Coordinates of all heavy atoms in Angstrom, one line a residue:
V1114 N -31.6 204.4 190.2 CA -32.3 203.1 190.1 C -33.8 203.2 189.9 O -34.4 202.7 189.0 CB -32.0 202.2 191.3 CG1 -32.7 200.9 191.2 CG2 -30.5 201.9 191.4
L1115 N -34.4 204.1 190.8 CA -35.8 204.2 190.8 C -36.3 204.8 189.4 O -37.2 204.2 188.8 CB -36.3 205.2 191.9 CG -37.7 205.5 192.0 CD1 -38.6 204.3 192.2 CD2 -38.0 206.6 193.0
C1116 N -35.8 205.9 189.0 CA -36.3 206.5 187.8 C -36.0 205.6 186.6 O -36.9 205.4 185.7 CB -35.6 207.9 187.5 SG -36.2 209.1 188.7
Q1117 N -34.9 205.0 186.6 CA -34.6 204.0 185.4 C -35.6 202.9 185.4 O -36.1 202.5 184.4 CB -33.1 203.5 185.6 CG -32.1 204.6 185.3 CD -32.2 205.1 183.8 OE1 -32.3 204.3 182.9 NE2 -32.1 206.4 183.7
F1118 N -35.9 202.4 186.6 CA -36.8 201.3 186.7 C -38.2 201.7 186.2 O -38.8 201.0 185.4 CB -36.9 200.8 188.1 CG -37.9 199.7 188.3 CD1 -37.6 198.3 188.0 CD2 -39.2 200.0 188.7 CE1 -38.6 197.3 188.2 CE2 -40.2 199.0 188.8 CZ -39.8 197.7 188.6
L1119 N -38.6 202.9 186.6 CA -40.0 203.4 186.3 C -40.0 203.6 184.7 O -41.1 203.4 184.1 CB -40.3 204.7 187.0 CG -40.6 204.5 188.5 CD1 -40.8 205.8 189.2 CD2 -41.8 203.6 188.7
L1120 N -38.9 204.1 184.2 CA -38.9 204.4 182.8 C -39.1 203.1 182.0 O -39.9 203.0 181.0 CB -37.6 205.1 182.4 CG -37.4 205.5 181.0 CD1 -38.5 206.6 180.7 CD2 -36.1 206.2 180.7
R1121 N -38.4 202.0 182.4 CA -38.5 200.7 181.7 C -39.9 200.2 181.9 O -40.5 199.7 181.0 CB -37.4 199.8 182.3 CG -36.1 199.9 181.7 CD -35.3 198.6 182.0 NE -35.2 198.3 183.4 CZ -34.4 198.8 184.3 NH1 -33.6 199.7 183.9 NH2 -34.5 198.5 185.5
R1122 N -40.4 200.3 183.1 CA -41.7 199.7 183.4 C -42.8 200.4 182.6 O -43.7 199.7 182.1 CB -41.9 199.8 184.9 CG -43.2 199.5 185.4 CD -43.4 198.1 185.9 NE -44.8 198.0 186.3 CZ -45.2 196.9 187.0 NH1 -44.3 196.0 187.3 NH2 -46.4 196.8 187.4
N1123 N -42.7 201.7 182.7 CA -43.7 202.5 181.9 C -45.2 202.1 182.2 O -46.0 202.1 181.3 CB -43.4 202.4 180.4 CG -44.1 203.6 179.7 OD1 -44.5 204.6 180.3 ND2 -44.3 203.5 178.4
Q1124 N -45.4 201.8 183.5 CA -46.8 201.4 183.9 C -46.9 201.7 185.4 O -45.9 201.6 186.1 CB -47.0 199.9 183.7 CG -47.8 199.6 182.5 CD -48.1 198.1 182.4 OE1 -48.0 197.4 183.4 NE2 -48.3 197.7 181.1
A1125 N -48.2 201.9 185.8 CA -48.4 202.1 187.2 C -47.9 200.9 188.0 O -48.1 199.8 187.5 CB -49.9 202.4 187.4
I1126 N -47.4 201.1 189.2 CA -46.9 200.0 190.0 C -47.2 200.3 191.4 O -47.1 201.5 191.9 CB -45.4 199.7 189.7 CG1 -44.9 198.5 190.6 CG2 -44.5 201.0 190.0 CD1 -43.6 198.0 190.2
L1127 N -47.6 199.3 192.2 CA -47.9 199.5 193.6 C -46.6 199.7 194.3 O -45.6 199.0 194.0 CB -48.6 198.2 194.2 CG -50.0 198.1 193.8 CD1 -50.5 196.7 194.2 CD2 -50.9 199.1 194.4
L1128 N -46.6 200.5 195.3 CA -45.3 200.8 196.1 C -44.8 199.5 196.7 O -43.6 199.3 196.7 CB -45.6 201.9 197.1 CG -44.3 202.3 197.8 CD1 -43.4 203.1 196.9 CD2 -44.6 203.2 199.0
K1129 N -45.7 198.7 197.2 CA -45.3 197.4 197.8 C -44.4 196.6 196.8 O -43.4 196.1 197.1 CB -46.5 196.6 198.2 CG -46.8 196.7 199.7 CD -47.9 195.7 200.1 CE -49.2 196.1 199.6 NZ -50.3 195.3 199.5
E1130 N -45.0 196.5 195.5 CA -44.3 195.7 194.5 C -42.9 196.4 194.2 O -41.9 195.7 194.0 CB -45.2 195.7 193.3 CG -44.8 194.5 192.4 CD -45.7 194.6 191.1 OE1 -46.8 195.2 191.2 OE2 -45.2 194.1 190.1
L1131 N -43.0 197.7 194.1 CA -41.7 198.5 193.8 C -40.7 198.2 194.9 O -39.5 198.0 194.6 CB -42.1 200.0 193.8 CG -41.1 200.9 193.1 CD1 -40.9 200.6 191.7 CD2 -41.6 202.3 193.3
E1132 N -41.1 198.1 196.1 CA -40.2 197.9 197.2 C -39.6 196.5 197.1 O -38.4 196.3 197.2 CB -41.0 198.0 198.5 CG -40.2 198.5 199.6 CD -41.0 198.7 200.9 OE1 -42.2 198.5 200.8 OE2 -40.4 199.1 201.9
E1133 N -40.4 195.5 196.7 CA -39.9 194.1 196.5 C -38.9 194.1 195.4 O -37.9 193.4 195.5 CB -41.1 193.2 196.2 CG -41.9 192.8 197.4 CD -43.2 192.1 196.9 OE1 -43.4 191.7 195.8 OE2 -44.1 192.1 197.8
K1134 N -39.2 194.8 194.3 CA -38.3 194.7 193.1 C -37.0 195.4 193.3 O -36.0 194.9 193.0 CB -39.1 195.3 191.9 CG -40.3 194.4 191.5 CD -40.1 194.1 190.0 CE -40.9 192.9 189.6 NZ -42.3 193.1 189.4
I1135 N -37.1 196.7 193.8 CA -35.8 197.4 193.8 C -35.5 198.1 195.2 O -34.5 198.8 195.3 CB -35.8 198.6 192.8 CG1 -37.0 199.5 192.9 CG2 -35.7 198.0 191.4 CD1 -36.8 200.8 192.2
G1136 N -36.3 197.8 196.2 CA -36.2 198.4 197.5 C -34.8 198.2 198.1 O -34.2 199.1 198.7
G1137 N -34.2 197.1 197.8 CA -32.9 196.8 198.3 C -31.8 197.6 197.7 O -30.7 197.8 198.2
Q1138 N -32.0 198.1 196.4 CA -30.9 198.7 195.6 C -30.9 200.2 195.8 O -29.9 200.8 195.4 CB -31.2 198.4 194.1 CG -31.2 197.0 193.8 CD -31.8 196.8 192.4 OE1 -31.4 197.5 191.5 NE2 -32.7 195.8 192.2
T1139 N -31.9 200.8 196.3 CA -31.9 202.3 196.4 C -32.7 202.8 197.6 O -33.7 202.2 198.0 CB -32.4 202.9 195.1 OG1 -32.7 204.3 195.4 CG2 -33.7 202.3 194.7
G1140 N -32.3 203.9 198.2 CA -33.0 204.5 199.3 C -34.2 205.3 198.8 O -35.0 205.8 199.6
E1141 N -34.3 205.5 197.5 CA -35.3 206.4 196.9 C -36.7 205.9 197.1 O -37.6 206.7 197.2 CB -35.0 206.7 195.5 CG -33.7 207.6 195.4 CD -33.4 208.0 193.9 OE1 -33.7 207.2 193.0 OE2 -32.9 209.1 193.8
V1142 N -36.8 204.6 197.2 CA -38.2 204.0 197.4 C -38.7 204.4 198.8 O -39.8 204.7 199.0 CB -38.1 202.5 197.2 CG1 -39.5 201.9 197.5 CG2 -37.7 202.1 195.8
E1143 N -37.7 204.4 199.7 CA -38.1 204.9 201.1 C -38.7 206.3 201.1 O -39.6 206.6 201.8 CB -36.8 204.9 202.0 CG -36.4 203.5 202.5 CD -37.4 202.8 203.3 OE1 -37.9 203.4 204.2 OE2 -37.8 201.6 203.0
K1144 N -38.1 207.1 200.2 CA -38.6 208.5 200.2 C -40.0 208.5 199.8 O -40.8 209.3 200.3 CB -37.8 209.3 199.1 CG -36.3 209.6 199.5 CD -35.8 210.6 198.5 CE -34.3 210.7 198.6 NZ -33.7 211.4 197.4
L1145 N -40.4 207.7 198.8 CA -41.8 207.6 198.4 C -42.7 207.2 199.5 O -43.9 207.6 199.6 CB -42.0 206.7 197.2 CG -41.3 207.1 195.9 CD1 -41.5 206.1 194.8 CD2 -41.7 208.5 195.5
K1146 N -42.2 206.4 200.4 CA -43.0 206.0 201.6 C -43.3 207.2 202.5 O -44.4 207.3 203.0 CB -42.2 205.0 202.4 CG -42.5 203.5 202.0 CD -41.7 202.7 203.0 CE -42.1 201.3 203.1 NZ -41.1 200.6 203.9
T1147 N -42.3 208.1 202.6 CA -42.6 209.3 203.4 C -43.7 210.1 202.8 O -44.3 210.9 203.5 CB -41.3 210.1 203.7 OG1 -40.9 210.6 202.4 CG2 -40.2 209.4 204.3
V1148 N -43.9 210.0 201.5 CA -45.0 210.7 200.9 C -46.3 210.0 201.1 O -47.4 210.5 200.8 CB -44.7 210.9 199.4 CG1 -45.7 211.8 198.7 CG2 -43.3 211.4 199.1
E1149 N -46.2 208.8 201.7 CA -47.4 208.0 201.9 C -48.0 207.5 200.6 O -49.2 207.5 200.4 CB -48.4 208.6 202.8 CG -48.0 208.6 204.2 CD -48.8 209.5 205.1 OE1 -49.9 209.8 204.8 OE2 -48.3 209.8 206.2
A1150 N -47.2 207.3 199.6 CA -47.7 206.8 198.3 C -48.1 205.4 198.4 O -47.5 204.6 199.1 CB -46.6 207.0 197.3
E1151 N -49.1 205.0 197.6 CA -49.4 203.6 197.5 C -49.2 203.1 196.1 O -48.9 202.0 195.8 CB -50.9 203.3 198.0 CG -50.9 203.2 199.5 CD -52.2 202.6 200.0 OE1 -52.9 201.8 199.2 OE2 -52.5 202.8 201.1
L1152 N -49.5 204.0 195.1 CA -49.4 203.6 193.7 C -48.4 204.7 193.1 O -48.6 205.9 193.3 CB -50.7 203.7 193.1 CG -50.8 203.0 191.7 CD1 -50.6 201.5 191.8 CD2 -52.2 203.3 191.0
V1153 N -47.5 204.2 192.3 CA -46.5 205.0 191.6 C -46.7 204.9 190.1 O -46.7 203.8 189.6 CB -45.1 204.6 192.0 CG1 -44.1 205.5 191.4 CG2 -45.0 204.5 193.5
I1154 N -46.9 206.1 189.5 CA -47.1 206.1 188.0 C -46.1 206.9 187.3 O -46.0 208.1 187.5 CB -48.5 206.7 187.7 CG1 -49.6 205.9 188.6 CG2 -48.9 206.6 186.3 CD1 -50.4 206.8 189.4
P1155 N -45.3 206.3 186.5 CA -44.3 207.0 185.7 C -45.0 207.8 184.6 O -45.9 207.3 183.9 CB -43.4 206.0 185.1 CG -44.2 204.7 185.1 CD -45.2 204.8 186.2
L1156 N -44.5 209.1 184.4 CA -45.0 209.9 183.2 C -43.9 209.9 182.2 O -42.9 210.7 182.5 CB -45.4 211.3 183.7 CG -46.4 211.4 184.8 CD1 -46.7 212.9 185.1 CD2 -47.7 210.7 184.6
S1157 N -44.0 209.2 181.2 CA -42.8 209.2 180.3 C -43.3 209.5 178.8 O -44.4 209.2 178.4 CB -42.1 207.9 180.3 OG -42.9 206.9 179.8
V1158 N -42.4 210.2 178.1 CA -42.7 210.5 176.7 C -41.4 210.3 176.0 O -40.3 210.7 176.4 CB -43.3 211.9 176.6 CG1 -42.4 213.0 177.1 CG2 -43.7 212.2 175.2
K1159 N -41.5 209.8 174.8 CA -40.3 209.5 173.9 C -39.1 208.9 174.8 O -38.0 209.5 174.7 CB -39.9 210.8 173.3 CG -40.9 211.3 172.2 CD -40.3 212.6 171.6 CE -41.4 213.6 171.4 NZ -40.9 214.9 171.7
N1160 N -39.4 207.9 175.5 CA -38.4 207.3 176.3 C -37.7 208.2 177.3 O -36.5 208.0 177.6 CB -37.4 206.6 175.4 CG -36.8 205.4 176.0 OD1 -37.4 204.8 177.0 ND2 -35.6 205.0 175.6
R1161 N -38.4 209.3 177.7 CA -37.8 210.1 178.7 C -38.8 210.2 179.9 O -40.0 210.4 179.6 CB -37.5 211.5 178.1 CG -36.1 212.0 178.4 CD -35.8 213.4 178.0 NE -37.0 214.3 178.0 CZ -37.4 214.8 176.9 NH1 -36.8 214.6 175.7 NH2 -38.4 215.6 176.9
L1162 N -38.3 210.2 181.1 CA -39.2 210.3 182.2 C -39.4 211.7 182.5 O -38.5 212.5 182.9 CB -38.6 209.6 183.4 CG -39.5 209.2 184.6 CD1 -40.6 208.3 184.1 CD2 -38.7 208.6 185.8
E1163 N -40.7 212.2 182.3 CA -41.0 213.6 182.5 C -41.4 213.9 183.9 O -41.3 215.0 184.4 CB -42.2 214.0 181.6 CG -41.8 214.3 180.1 CD -41.0 215.5 180.0 OE1 -41.2 216.5 180.7 OE2 -40.1 215.5 179.1
G1164 N -41.9 212.8 184.6 CA -42.4 213.1 185.9 C -42.9 211.8 186.6 O -42.9 210.7 186.0
I1165 N -43.2 211.9 187.9 CA -43.8 210.7 188.6 C -45.0 211.2 189.3 O -45.0 212.3 190.0 CB -42.8 210.2 189.6 CG1 -41.5 209.8 189.0 CG2 -43.4 209.0 190.4 CD1 -40.4 209.4 190.0
L1166 N -46.1 210.5 189.1 CA -47.3 210.8 189.8 C -47.5 209.7 190.9 O -47.3 208.5 190.6 CB -48.5 210.7 188.8 CG -49.9 210.9 189.3 CD1 -50.1 212.4 189.8 CD2 -50.9 210.7 188.2
V1167 N -47.7 210.1 192.2 CA -48.0 209.1 193.2 C -49.4 209.3 193.8 O -49.8 210.5 193.9 CB -46.9 209.1 194.3 CG1 -45.5 208.8 193.7 CG2 -46.9 210.4 195.1
L1168 N -50.0 208.2 194.1 CA -51.4 208.3 194.7 C -51.4 207.7 196.0 O -50.7 206.6 196.3 CB -52.4 207.6 193.8 CG -52.5 208.0 192.3 CD1 -53.7 207.3 191.7 CD2 -52.8 209.5 192.3
A1169 N -52.1 208.3 196.9 CA -52.4 207.6 198.3 C -53.5 206.6 198.1 O -54.0 206.4 197.0 CB -52.8 208.7 199.3
G1170 N -53.8 205.9 199.2 CA -54.8 204.8 199.1 C -56.2 205.3 198.7 O -56.5 206.5 198.7
K1171 N -57.0 204.4 198.3 CA -58.4 204.8 197.9 C -59.2 205.1 199.1 O -59.1 204.6 200.2 CB -59.1 203.6 197.2 CG -58.6 203.4 195.8 CD -59.5 202.3 195.2 CE -59.5 202.4 193.7 NZ -60.6 201.6 193.1
I1172 N -60.1 206.1 198.9 CA -61.0 206.5 200.0 C -61.9 205.3 200.5 O -62.1 205.1 201.7 CB -61.9 207.7 199.6 CG1 -61.0 208.9 199.3 CG2 -62.9 208.1 200.7 CD1 -61.7 210.1 198.6
S1173 N -62.3 204.5 199.5 CA -63.2 203.3 199.9 C -62.4 202.3 200.7 O -63.0 201.4 201.2 CB -63.6 202.7 198.6 OG -62.5 202.2 197.8
G1174 N -61.1 202.4 200.8 CA -60.3 201.4 201.5 C -60.1 200.1 200.7 O -59.3 199.3 201.1

Side-chain angles (χ1 to χ4, degrees):
V1114 176
L1115 174 65
C1116 288
Q1117 289 298 315
F1118 177 85
L1119 289 176
L1120 186 61
R1121 274 198 309 278
R1122 165 101 180 190
N1123 198 19
Q1124 257 184 25
I1126 181 170
L1127 287 168
L1128 187 67
K1129 260 191 286 168
E1130 201 185 332
L1131 196 62
E1132 212 173 357
E1133 282 164 18
K1134 290 235 158 80
I1135 56 165
Q1138 302 166 43
T1139 168
E1141 289 184 328
V1142 179
E1143 282 299 309
K1144 288 192 199 166
L1145 293 182
K1146 267 186 164 170
T1147 61
V1148 187
E1149 285 168 20
E1151 280 197 18
L1152 193 67
V1153 183
I1154 306 124
L1156 307 182
S1157 67
V1158 60
K1159 292 182 223 139
N1160 209 23
R1161 231 191 21 246
L1162 198 61
E1163 282 289 327
I1165 303 175
L1166 178 65
V1167 300
L1168 302 186
K1171 284 189 159 194
I1172 295 172
S1173 62

